[in-house]
Amino acid sequence: MKQLIMCYLGEMALKGLNKSTFEAQLAKSIRRRIKNLGQFKVYKAQSTFYIEPEDEFSDVDGAFEKVKKIFGIAAVSKAVVTEKNFDKIAEIAPIYLEDTLHDARTFKVAAKRSDKSFPMGSLEISKEIGAAILRKFPHLKVDVHNPQVTVMVEIRDFGAYIHEAKQPGAGGMPVSSSGKGALMLSGGIDSPVAAYMMAKRGMSIMSVHFASPPYTSERARQKVITLCEKVVDYTGDMNLFIVPFTTVQEYIRDNGVPELFTILMRRSMMRITENLANKYGAGAIITGESLGQVASQTLSAITATNASVNMPIFRPVIGMDKTEITDIARKIDTFETSILPYEDCCTIFTPPHPKTKPSLEEVVEAEKSMGLEELFRLEESAAVEAEKLRINVQ
Ligand code: ATP
Ligand code: MG
């Protein structure tokens, strides 16, 4: 019996114009996610991707779990394929689903014939396969409204596919179908979740992390790389830029208004991120900010940071509270890494009494008084250094 995986396409099927690009993206994501699980053939027909093992060593169950996480796939099923011959289907269906049918009390057959040259109609197939199953499992009862098991039979171009009810896929849109975003990735819980949320809407991601050695350690840097390695399961390959931020931070500490240190530093981070985003084709900045979570995430602080750049800033977790964000972090397996207790550059040099409601005017004034020319020069050279340190995470 030849088992394979069927991935049914979601929202993207509606996007007529870019359909072929989306599908190419999706095929790439699928291949990438299952590449360590054996040899598979991946191909598309009739709005469905088929993933077919090429030998018996390929891990179909493992691949099935992986593809459930790929954005752009609405539903998935594990199926057995036979030739398009009624007797063959009637023979195989009860054998393939033996264990499930054995344990059930009620079932129904739902047939779908997209190959209209098949001599029987959908209703007739359902009825006759139902009868064949009942002959083998006389304890079963047919329940068309609320069956414990639905046996699906799809008569398609390449064969007849038999499987249980479809399972939901990850939904969303395929990665890269909505442009690219530059994620500001700290080592915390929120920003990896922000990456996941935007990837769900089809953004590909590049990540920018600010490090301030020697105040931040090599372990903190390694932690961010590990987070990227986890997130790429959802986002696809990404570039990670680690910005050496020490000089800029020291400049702000030595020349800025102490109560505004955090906000001035965040404006610098935004400008450097926008600079890298422009150079690498990203059209938006993404952060893991959640309104009111900390002093730098009040409405006035956000107003002051937004004003430092022209790009739109996406904050997909802005309205979520920590438990909701944490639930997603656990689901995407970043939580345990995020809670490792290494220092972040944002927590060094912070003043004892930061202003929580700075006005944009006073922030802009404080920035000017630092000497904009020198500040921007340091920011530019930090961005250039970060480019040299680019890491491609797969
Ligand atoms: P997170 O859990 O994502 O670290 P947080 O609750 O610690 O967030 P902040 O430290 O105020 O909050 O950071 C808010 C956002 O700023 C982060 O979600 C991230 O997008 C960005 N950010 C913070 N620190 C860094 C950093 N070192 N490098 C890049 N981006 C950062
Ligand atoms: Mg943080």
Side-chain angles (χ1 to χ4, degrees), residues 68-216:
K68 276 190 203 165
K69 293 177 179 167
I70 300 175
F71 294 126
I73 296 176
V76 287
S77 55
K78 227 183 311 176
V80 71
V81 57
T82 76
E83 58 192 87
K84 289 185 273 186
N85 166 310
F86 177 80
D87 291 337
K88 203 77 194 164
I89 301 168
E91 179 197 331
I92 298 282
I95 300 175
Y96 177 53
L97 298 174
E98 183 169 4
D99 292 347
T100 321
L101 290 170
H102 185 268
D103 295 339
R105 277 174 292 110
T106 59
F107 82 112
K108 80 168 178 185
V109 179
K112 199 172 154 203
R113 182 185 61 148
S114 46
D115 171 7
K116 301 294 179 204
S117 71
F118 192 77
M120 298 163 78
S122 305
L123 275 179
E124 198 185 351
I125 304 170
S126 301
K127 220 173 108 207
E128 295 298 329
I129 299 293
I133 289 175
L134 281 173
R135 279 195 291 279
K136 274 218 141 181
F137 300 96
H139 74 282
L140 284 174
K141 290 230 165 347
V142 174
D143 180 346
V144 288
H145 300 297
N146 197 15
Q148 285 176 314
V149 179
T150 301
V151 177
M152 304 201 54
V153 177
E154 298 192 62
I155 313 289
R156 292 174 161 243
D157 287 355
F158 303 139
Y161 299 84
I162 302 161
H163 55 88
E164 286 184 58
K166 297 172 189 173
Q167 296 184 26
M173 317 244 300
V175 160
S176 274
S177 57
S178 300
K180 193 196 268 189
L183 169 74
M184 294 175 66
L185 179 65
S186 66
I189 295 169
D190 308 330
S191 40
V193 171
Y196 165 83
M197 304 274 288
M198 294 321 298
K200 187 176 175 100
R201 295 312 302 160
M203 282 206 119
S204 67
I205 306 285
M206 59 180 262
S207 288
V208 181
H209 174 71
F210 292 82
S212 293
Y215 306 103
T216 63

Side-chain angles (χ1 to χ4, degrees), residues 234-256:
Y234 296 92
T235 62
D237 309 5
M238 70 160 86
N239 280 322
L240 165 64
F241 297 88
I242 299 185
V243 181
F245 199 44
T246 319
T247 326
V248 176
Q249 273 191 304
E250 286 173 341
Y251 188 82
I252 299 172
R253 177 196 61 188
D254 297 342
N255 299 279

Side-chain angles (χ1 to χ4, degrees), residues 42-63:
V42 177
Y43 55 95
K44 202 213 101 193
Q46 298 176 292
S47 295
T48 304
F49 272 98
Y50 296 84
I51 304 172
E52 203 178 310
E54 303 209 87
D55 54 43
E56 75 265 33
F57 306 113
S58 302
D59 178 3
V60 176
D61 291 342

Side-chain angles (χ1 to χ4, degrees), residues 316-335:
V317 303
I318 192 77
M320 294 168 79
D321 51 52
K322 202 74 187 184
T323 50
E324 292 172 295
I325 301 173
T326 302
D327 285 348
I328 299 178
R330 287 187 199 279
K331 185 174 104 177
I332 64 173
D333 193 32
T334 52
F335 182 76

